[in-house]
Amino acid sequence: KTGLITLDPGFGNTGACQSGVTFIDGDQGILRYRGLPIEQLAEHSTFVETAWLLINGKLPNKAELDQFSKRLTKHAPLHEGFKNHFEGFPLNAPPMAILSAMINTLSSSSCDGKLHEDDIDDLSAKLMSKVRTIAAYSYRRSLGLPFIYPDPKLRYVANFLHMMFSMPYEQHIASQEVVDALNLILMLHADHEQNCSTSTVRVVGSSKANLYASCAAGVGALWGPLHGGANVAVLEMLEAIHEGGMSAAEALALAKDKQSGFKLMGFGHRVYKNFDPRALILKRAADRVLGRLGVQDPLLDVARKLEELALIDPYFVERKLYPNVDFYSGIIMRAMGIPTSMFTVIFAIGRMPGWIAHWKEQNHDRASRIARPRQIYIGPKEQVYTPMDQR
Ligand code: SDX
């Protein structure tokens, strides 16, 4: 107990919880998954290996990684009956709405809440694998294209790109650069401590709601433009600046003018008061990926100029506003041919292992209590009931 805050594995009756999944030092710009610095994982690991690390608390050995990969492959297809659910969505249904609905639908047949170790490993792999298929199918449906079945010969990211972009008459073979870039983006989004959507998963899971229902709630929270939707807002901002013929200096002036309603999207962070280490990694990746793909994107030039000026502008320096994970991720995904409609869904696919790890930590690894945050009441004092003819 530390004064008002009672630290326990769940949220208990406060807004704080204990967790051993991810460590962030906002002042130093440090991010570690289970103690491993994000920079080392970005250099040496893959999204699937990092997912196993987050869920199980340590790096997998070869046998563990092979078993996890086999489970991801096994669970990639959707039950044929589930595919019919897509027919009920309008063609322009937001992919995040489909993802949340379909994850909940999975819980209608996959897990009864009575979990033990083996179930959790299999359920985790099933959820991670099926969200990839659901996401790809939602994209295909939005274009009126036939669903492409997962290919058991392909690894996680390549299979997703195959289901997104192949055609019945021609298989899409993603370049290694694109596969590596998407691996990196998913890995960098895999967890981030008690952000809005992860806290949602923990609060919902604290009632002993099953894994799928809890993660479906996380999708809803991530859908918000202030959270997972920020990467789309960054691109829209960069396009408005570029197409509007605005200079970077003019855009910064707007961002500093509170009356303008214009924010420098992709800048600032509730916790980081230094560089978001993910942004530094993505900034380097943007150059590398666009160079290897031979993509010249004027929006990257706009982003770099904005960053260059903001880092020396007193308004941003005094408020410790630095680029966050969203500032460069959209530019890289656009260069890879991923439509903006899928940016937040890609974020959700990346964040899934983090949500699973937090749900597991709270619901399985340690006994925790149902979340019950308190409030400061600011409503009216006691009132007397007024009959209708006196109102
Ligand atoms: C994500 O929690 C997570 O970990 C989230 C995430 C994850 O991985 O899950 O990291 C992912 O959601 C990243 C954040 C994406 N959002 C954006 O990029 C939107 C733009 N950023 C801002 O909305 C804002 O920076 C926040 C909300 C992210 C953080 O704001 P804070 O820390 O609460 O700071 P604040 O809103 O209190 O602002 C402090 C000052 C204010 O000015 P003053 O009142 O002091 O004059 O800084 C200003 C703000 O107006 N400010 C900005 C700004 N962000 C803050 N001014 C211009 N542009 C900005 N982007």
Side-chain angles (χ1 to χ4, degrees):
K1 284 185 184 293
T2 57
L4 278 180
I5 299 281
T6 307
L7 291 178
D8 68 16
F11 281 92
N13 61 355
T14 69
C17 77
Q18 288 179 327
S19 171
V21 179
T22 288
F23 172 76
I24 295 175
D25 180 327
D27 294 328
Q28 302 299 318
I30 293 172
L31 171 59
R32 299 184 195 128
Y33 292 163
R34 299 290 189 177
L36 277 163
I38 192 69
E39 295 80 4
Q40 293 181 30
L41 291 167
E43 187 179 346
H44 302 297
S45 190
T46 64
F47 172 60
V48 168
E49 182 182 72
T50 296
W52 204 96
L53 163 72
L54 284 166
I55 294 169
N56 296 285
K58 66 179 182 66
L59 286 170
N61 60 35
K62 188 168 180 338
E64 289 162 335
L65 190 58
D66 288 348
Q67 183 193 43
F68 189 45
S69 293
K70 285 191 179 76
R71 280 176 161 160
L72 290 170
T73 300
K74 179 182 84 174
H75 289 305
L78 277 189
H79 185 289
E80 286 298 310
F82 276 14
K83 284 172 54 182
N84 299 332
H85 287 280
F86 284 85
E87 300 308 314
F89 297 115
L91 287 179
N92 63 347
M96 289 293 270
I98 296 175
L99 187 62
S100 182
M102 291 300 284
I103 291 175
N104 256 318
T105 306
L106 288 176
S107 66
S108 66
S109 68
S110 292
C111 71
D112 56 9
K114 298 183 186 65
L115 301 174
H116 53 79
E117 193 66 31
D118 188 53
D119 274 357
I120 290 178
D121 291 344
D122 202 53
L123 283 175
S124 303
K126 190 183 288 187
L127 180 56
M128 270 190 63
S129 191
K130 294 207 187 297
V131 292
R132 171 188 46 171
T133 308
I134 292 165
Y137 282 13
S138 65
Y139 173 66
R140 303 289 292 193
R141 170 148 174 76
S142 72
L143 299 176
L145 294 174
F147 292 149
I148 297 294
Y149 282 90
D151 179 341
K153 295 187 298 302
L154 295 176
R155 317 289 288 180
Y156 191 91
V157 168
N159 217 346
F160 172 66
L161 294 165
H162 157 65
M163 290 188 276
M164 280 275 290
F165 299 123
S166 287
M167 295 305 272
Y169 51 83
E170 182 184 25
Q171 178 158 14
H172 174 83
I173 310 290
S175 68
Q176 195 54 49
E177 285 78 16
V178 170
V179 171
D180 293 347
L182 189 50
N183 242 307
L184 178 65
I185 285 178
L186 292 175
M187 191 195 309
L188 294 176
H189 285 82
D191 192 51
H192 211 238
E193 201 215 64
Q194 301 308 319
N195 58 86
C196 178
S197 53
T198 301
S199 300
T200 301
V201 171
R202 287 189 79 115
V203 168
V204 172
S206 75
S207 71
K208 297 299 175 218
N210 67 59
L211 174 63
Y212 292 176
S214 303
C215 290
V219 172
L222 188 68
W223 192 0
L226 290 182
H227 190 6
N231 50 24
V232 177
V234 169
L235 268 199
E236 288 167 351
M237 172 190 75
L238 296 174
E239 280 169 341
I241 292 168
H242 177 64
E243 286 156 21
M246 218 190 295
S247 70
E250 288 166 332
L252 287 192
L254 262 185
K256 295 187 287 187
D257 172 6
K258 303 293 181 203
Q259 308 312 315
S260 73
F262 179 86
K263 268 200 168 180
L264 200 55
M265 299 309 283
F267 254 74
H269 197 276
R270 186 58 54 79
V271 177
Y272 290 120
K273 299 309 172 187
N274 193 326
F275 260 94
D276 177 337
R278 302 168 297 179
L280 283 174
I281 294 168
L282 286 171
K283 177 179 175 180
R284 287 193 292 271
D287 251 352
R288 186 175 67 244
V289 172
L290 271 70
R292 286 186 187 161
L293 296 177
V295 171
Q296 290 290 332
D297 186 347
L299 302 191
L300 179 58
D301 302 330
V302 174
R304 289 203 178 294
K305 193 64 184 163
L306 282 172
E307 180 186 355
E308 178 192 321
L309 294 182
L311 294 183
I312 56 174
D313 184 300
Y315 173 94
F316 292 89
V317 172
E318 285 158 14
R319 292 166 177 80
K320 299 182 178 179
L321 302 177
Y322 293 89
N324 60 45
V325 67
D326 296 299
F327 195 59
Y328 288 105
S329 58
I331 291 171
I332 296 174
M333 286 193 278
R334 188 167 104 133
M336 291 158 50
I338 292 176
T340 50
S341 62
M342 294 297 287
F343 282 10
T344 308
V345 173
I346 299 274
F347 192 148
I349 294 173
R351 191 53 54 92
M352 209 53 71
W355 290 343
I356 293 167
H358 283 273
W359 181 92
K360 182 169 175 271
E361 176 181 65
Q362 177 175 273
N363 276 11
H364 184 76
D365 300 347
R366 311 159 73 177
S368 68
R369 297 185 299 166
I370 187 170
R372 181 49 176 98
R374 293 307 311 276
Q375 64 173 19
I376 295 171
Y377 178 70
I378 56 171
K381 293 185 176 41
E382 185 176 0
Q383 308 285 300
V384 175
Y385 183 81
T386 311
M388 182 60 81
D389 59 5
Q390 296 173 32
R391 290 178 202 167

